[in-house]
């Protein structure tokens, strides 16, 4: 089989191409070998990416050891934590499509034979998986790894601890001096934030779906094992190229279901729903919210990593308990994992996980003794969310799994945060934050600021929050997001008025607005779509083309 790079480097008419390659110092033998694009998302604004140049160098070493020629190129990246709580968060989810598109452009234009993709944080991981499925060249994804937890006055802390501490200052529970002391130690070094937030969730699912080597999701960023893993990734892609194994051979209905089972077992970020829908779409695999709920219903929740649980374990704890192979091994013991799908680390995923069980049941429980009989995520439907909504039920206080209360309505995140800080939200309220969906935001901002403020002010077990936006993986509490259709599309959430009663029943999978249908129709007739918040540039184009959250917020 002729490799794609042959059209660039073979024959008399390709002499000018070879001359350009040699102008960069390549030897003829390097030109002749298979070309492996190494996609580097390193930059100096994301803690999870500040060290990726070292990881990429290790990848390139592995490619060379296995007989390939690595060629590095870069993509954009946004730190969700630094974008949080202001206009910058509108651009985070939207960057996923830009990253995937930019990879496609370079790979097709330069005729690479295979790819190693090196992400670490939030939207960059799913974007690279989307691109790999779209391009369908032999590919391995290797992340930069999680940050270690910080230590503050004898306890483990992380980025989310600081987010929640803001509310504690507002409530007078801690001093400004204590907050400043905490922020010095909460994030002790490079890596994606130490809890099971979106970045770490997606890095774990990369491993579970078969596109990352064992340890991809959990080996800490600062461990030497991370660099060894990167070298192994470079070598592994050459093996895939030789065998002719491509992403669409790996990303199949069975492997998608495996990844979702792991997602439910570990209690991953609710953002994984958006990303798994988009990855499946690129791979040509049918997937909908009903399938996700079906997998959640049959998969036990085995892990409580920050922000879930009373004892805040972190990613290093999950790694020491056996990581994702142990999670999958536990599920396999109950026939909840299909061992047959191909993967980048072995012939079949079952080869990596058979006879593998937890090394620490206090972090990763045995399948016979789960935290919950069902998964960490739940899909809710009802007249408030006819096309679905998502909640991380493993992070919801038990007393709020079922809740009925009056709506407190806000048309943007900032107004909701201001009301919470001013003490205007009371026990039993349902905070509604709307016009923050994919189209209306635009960009479907994460609502970590309001949820973290509620936690810090001692309200997280007294108040629920629903939105057509989304939540950070760091969110805990009764937080329901992704309400579809969104307000900007005329969804029911646009019709909610102050004081309307909203009923949430997570075990019953329901989210209802207790208003007569006739009244809702009257309100619908009077409703007018608001003016777009952004009227030019990429985000204006994004808002016109983006689908609903229920379809993955992909571009049509």
């Amino acid at each position: 089989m002729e490799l794609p790079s042959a059209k660039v480097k073979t024959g008399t008419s390709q002499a000018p191409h070879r001359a350009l390659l040699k102008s960069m110092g390549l030897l003829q033998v390097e030109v002749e070998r298979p070309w492996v694009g190494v996609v580097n998302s390193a930059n100096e604004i994301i803690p999870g990416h500040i060290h990726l140049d070292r990881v990429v160098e290790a990848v390139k070493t592995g490619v060379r050891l296995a007989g390939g020629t690595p060629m590095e190129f870069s993509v954009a990246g946004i730190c969700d934590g630094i974008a949080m709580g202001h206009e910058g968060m509108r651009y985070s989810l939207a960057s996923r499509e830009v990253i995937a598109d930019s990879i496609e452009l370079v790979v097709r234009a330069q005729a690479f034979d295979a790819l190693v993709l090196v992400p670490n944080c939030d939207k960059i991981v799913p974007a690279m998986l989307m691109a790999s499925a779209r391009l369908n060249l032999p590919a391995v994804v290797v992340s930069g790894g999680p940050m270690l937890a910080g230590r503050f006055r004898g306890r483990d802390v992380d980025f989310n601890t600081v987010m929640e501490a803001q509310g504690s200052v507002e409530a007078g529970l801690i001093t400004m001096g204590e907050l400043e002391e905490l922020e010095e130690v909460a994030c002790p070094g490079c890596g994606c934030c130490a809890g099971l937030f979106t970045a770490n969730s997606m890095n774990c699912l990369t491993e579970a779906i078969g596109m990352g080597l064992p340890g991809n999701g959990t080996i800490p960023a600062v461990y030497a094992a991370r660099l060894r893993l990167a070298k192994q990734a470079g070598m592994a892609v050459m093996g895939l190229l030789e065998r002719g194994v491509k992403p669409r051979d790996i990303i199949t209905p069975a492997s998608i279901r495996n990844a979702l089972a792991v997602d439910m077992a570990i209690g991953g970020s609710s953002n994984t729903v958006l990303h798994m829908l988009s990855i499946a779409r690129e791979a040509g695999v049918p997937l909908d919210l009903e399938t996700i709920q079906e997998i959640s219903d049959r998969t036990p929740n085995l892990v409580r990593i920050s922000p879930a649980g009373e004892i805040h374990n972190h990613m290093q704890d999950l790694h020491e308990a056996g990581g994702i192979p142990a999670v999958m091994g536990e599920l396999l013991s109950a026939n909840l994992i299909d061992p047959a799908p191909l993967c980048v680390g072995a012939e079949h995923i079952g080869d990596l996980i058979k006879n593998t069980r937890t090394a620490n049941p206090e972090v990763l429980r045995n399948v016979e003794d789960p935290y919950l009989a069902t998964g960490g995520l739940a899909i809710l439907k009802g007249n408030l969310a006819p096309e679905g909504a998502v909640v991380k039920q493993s992070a919801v206080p038990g007393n709020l799994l079922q809740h009925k209360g009056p709506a407190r309505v806000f048309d943007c995140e900032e107004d909701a945060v201001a009301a919470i800080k001013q003490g205007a939200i009371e026990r039993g309220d349902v905070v509604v934050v709307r016009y923050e969906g994919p189209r209306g935001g635009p960009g479907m901002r994460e609502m970590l600021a309001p949820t973290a403020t509620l936690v810090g002010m001692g309200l997280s077990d007294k108040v629920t929050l629903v939105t057509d936006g989304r939540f950070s993986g760091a969110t805990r509490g009764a937080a329901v997001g992704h309400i579809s259709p969104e307000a900007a599309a005329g969804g029911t959430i646009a019709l909610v008025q102050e004081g309307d009663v909203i009923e949430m029943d997570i075990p019953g999978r329901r989210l209802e607005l207790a208003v007569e249908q006739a009244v809702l129709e009257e309100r619908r007739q009077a409703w007018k779509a608001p003016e777009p918040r952004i009227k030019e540039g990429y985000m204006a184009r994004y808002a016109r083309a983006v689908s609903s959250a229920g379809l993955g917020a992909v571009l049509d």
Side-chain angles (χ1 to χ4, degrees):
M1 181 183 69
E2 186 175 75
L3 296 176
S5 63
K7 69 186 76 169
V8 179
K9 64 189 181 185
T10 303
T12 304
S13 62
Q14 277 67 44
H17 305 69
R18 293 193 295 272
L20 290 172
L21 292 163
K22 290 176 180 178
S23 77
M24 296 182 286
L26 291 181
L27 300 171
Q28 180 62 26
V29 67
E30 292 178 289
V31 174
E32 292 172 354
R33 288 174 174 172
W35 293 0
V36 179
V38 181
V39 189
N40 186 358
S41 56
N43 61 41
E44 295 184 349
I45 190 60
I46 307 178
H49 291 229
I50 191 73
H51 66 304
L52 289 189
D53 282 339
R54 289 192 67 202
V55 177
V56 164
E57 285 304 314
V59 167
K60 292 192 285 188
T61 296
V63 171
R64 293 188 184 104
L65 285 170
T69 297
M71 298 179 180
E72 176 186 341
F73 66 94
S74 301
V75 294
I78 289 172
C79 177
D80 278 25
I82 295 173
M84 193 74 64
H86 60 92
E87 288 297 302
M89 180 49 71
R90 301 194 191 285
Y91 294 82
S92 175
L93 180 60
S95 73
R96 186 185 68 182
E97 271 56 36
V98 172
I99 296 164
D101 290 350
S102 68
I103 294 170
E104 176 192 355
L105 293 173
V106 175
V107 170
R108 291 301 188 208
Q110 310 294 199
F112 286 110
D113 302 316
L115 296 171
V116 180
L117 304 108
V118 187
N120 212 24
C121 292
D122 294 81
K123 310 312 163 293
I124 301 99
V125 183
M128 290 194 177
L129 286 166
M130 290 165 64
S132 69
R134 184 187 305 174
L135 293 162
N136 204 33
L137 295 171
V140 177
V141 179
V142 58
S143 76
M147 185 185 293
L148 294 174
R151 293 287 291 172
F152 177 70
R153 300 186 177 184
R155 64 187 177 101
D156 286 349
V157 294
D158 55 42
F159 167 77
N160 196 45
T161 315
V162 186
M163 286 294 298
E164 295 176 354
Q166 299 174 92
S168 296
V169 172
E170 296 286 343
L173 301 175
I174 66 171
T175 66
M176 190 63 195
E178 289 173 309
L179 177 62
E180 291 171 352
E181 182 184 344
L182 173 62
E183 73 181 58
E184 290 286 338
V185 299
C187 300
C190 66
C192 47
C193 297
L196 192 58
F197 312 148
T198 303
N200 285 321
S201 297
M202 288 308 304
N203 284 328
C204 288
L205 298 197
T206 299
E207 196 175 327
I209 207 171
M211 288 295 294
L213 296 171
N216 180 73
T218 59
I219 297 173
V222 296
Y223 284 14
R226 177 59 55 178
L227 298 180
R228 295 196 295 270
L229 186 77
K231 291 178 183 177
Q232 291 164 352
M235 298 173 73
V237 79
M238 297 303 295
L240 296 175
L241 183 61
E242 183 177 348
R243 291 158 50 201
V245 176
K246 300 176 181 179
R248 292 189 191 181
D249 301 318
I250 294 171
I251 305 174
T252 64
S255 71
I256 289 279
R257 292 177 73 88
N258 280 350
L260 288 167
V262 168
D263 195 10
M264 301 308 163
I266 64 177
S269 164
S270 57
N271 284 310
T272 59
V273 173
L274 287 174
H275 300 323
M276 291 303 294
L277 288 168
S278 64
I279 293 162
R281 179 176 184 264
E282 294 285 359
V285 175
L287 182 65
D288 54 30
L289 294 179
E290 287 72 23
T291 300
I292 293 172
Q293 184 60 65
E294 179 266 314
I295 293 169
S296 180
D297 286 342
R298 68 180 179 85
T299 307
N301 177 228
L302 306 178
V303 174
R304 293 291 170 90
I305 299 292
S306 175
E310 296 180 4
I311 300 174
H312 281 186
N313 293 313
H314 290 84
M315 294 306 295
Q316 67 223 55
D317 301 302
L318 179 57
H319 180 62
E320 292 168 9
I324 297 307
V327 175
M328 298 186 79
E330 288 290 339
L331 295 175
L332 181 63
S333 72
N335 295 316
L336 296 171
I337 287 287
D338 185 341
L342 302 179
C343 65
V344 300
E347 186 71 24
H348 302 282
I349 195 76
D351 299 331
L352 300 176
I353 63 175
K354 59 185 177 184
N355 302 320
T356 303
R357 303 291 295 270
T358 180
N360 185 354
E362 293 184 2
V363 176
L364 165 59
R365 289 194 174 184
N366 296 107
V367 73
E368 299 86 1
D369 180 33
Y371 284 102
L372 288 172
T374 59
L377 300 178
I379 308 299
L380 309 184
K381 288 192 173 184
N383 69 343
L384 187 55
E387 295 176 8
V390 182
V391 61
K392 187 173 180 175
Q393 63 179 351
S394 59
V396 177
N399 66 303
L400 290 180
L401 289 170
Q402 294 175 307
H403 178 75
K404 180 188 293 186
R408 306 298 309 281
V409 183
F410 304 94
D411 287 347
C412 67
E413 175 188 10
E414 289 84 354
D415 289 351
V417 172
I420 295 167
K421 288 184 175 181
Q422 291 164 8
I425 303 302
E426 300 177 355
R427 176 191 291 269
D429 285 348
V430 179
V431 178
V432 178
V433 186
R434 63 188 178 189
Y435 296 106
E436 291 286 7
R439 183 195 304 181
M444 201 178 182
R445 289 195 291 179
E446 291 182 346
M447 301 288 117
L448 180 56
T451 57
T453 304
L454 288 170
V455 171
M457 297 183 73
L459 292 171
S460 64
D461 62 346
K462 303 174 180 65
V463 171
T464 64
L465 191 151
V466 300
T467 180
D468 54 5
R470 58 195 176 91
F471 294 106
S472 165
T475 289
R476 59 189 173 111
V480 181
H482 306 205
I483 289 179
S484 299
E486 62 175 290
T492 308
I493 190 171
L495 311 179
V496 180
Q497 294 184 1
E498 189 81 6
D500 285 350
V501 173
I502 292 175
E503 183 177 1
M504 179 179 71
D505 180 1
I506 294 177
R509 310 294 186 237
R510 293 189 306 106
L511 186 64
E512 300 284 349
L513 177 64
V515 175
E516 294 292 333
Q517 187 61 36
V519 175
L520 289 179
E521 288 304 319
E522 288 179 11
R523 294 181 187 178
R524 193 179 304 281
Q525 293 300 317
W527 176 80
K528 293 181 180 180
E531 284 291 310
R533 287 186 170 120
I534 299 177
K535 299 182 180 180
E536 59 184 14
Y538 173 68
M539 289 308 298
R541 298 197 303 275
Y542 177 88
R544 291 193 293 268
V546 69
S547 74
S548 77
L551 297 174
V554 296
L555 296 185
D556 294 327

